[in-house]
Amino acid sequence: EYRCRDALRVFYKLPHSHFYTGYVQHQVGRAYFELSDYQNAQKALETMQRIEPHRMKGLEVLSTALWHLKKEVVLSNLAQRAIDFDRHSAEAWCVVGNCFS
């Protein structure tokens, strides 16, 4: 059993300089995703992307959240960017798979 709400409480207590890192935003997005709060998951994972534009880790979660939210255009754009950056990564192909499902 995941303790997502507990994790979120801990993450939100972190100093600003720690909270706004790609790693922490990935974990925040993942926690929201596991709670089926796809809008907040999208927000955190897009923040992760702004902070670390070349981070591939977490894109599979972001793309699945976008799929649940039926945001096809945003998902398609994410798939293109992921393939352009690293077409051999598992994350890129997860994004593409979500785009075509």
Side-chain angles (χ1 to χ4, degrees):
E1 173 186 327
Y2 295 119
R3 294 172 48 195
C4 297
R5 293 188 198 293
D6 292 341
L8 287 168
R9 276 192 281 282
V10 171
F11 288 132
Y12 280 104
K13 290 179 182 177
L14 289 172
H16 186 273
S17 61
H18 295 281
F19 184 75
Y20 286 101
T21 62
Y23 176 80
V24 172
Q25 289 301 303
H26 178 191
Q27 301 312 311
V28 169
R30 179 64 185 250
Y32 279 124
F33 180 86
E34 294 296 339
L35 292 169
S36 299
D37 184 346
Y38 303 119
Q39 287 183 322
N40 278 320
Q42 177 188 1
K43 182 179 171 185
L45 293 165
E46 286 179 344
T47 299
M48 172 195 77
Q49 278 282 280
R50 277 192 298 281
I51 294 167
E52 292 183 30
H54 296 109
R55 183 183 177 92
M56 296 298 287
K57 247 184 164 161
L59 293 187
E60 71 284 0
V61 180
L62 174 56
S63 69
T64 305
L66 293 171
W67 181 84
H68 280 288
L69 294 168
K70 300 183 181 350
K71 295 192 174 183
E72 293 91 3
V73 173
V74 179
L75 179 54
S76 178
N77 181 273
L78 179 63
Q80 184 63 53
R81 286 186 290 128
I83 290 297
D84 286 348
F85 183 69
D86 184 359
R87 71 179 330 103
H88 299 293
S89 72
E91 293 87 356
W93 289 106
C94 287
V95 175
V96 170
N98 279 328
C99 192
F100 287 105
S101 66

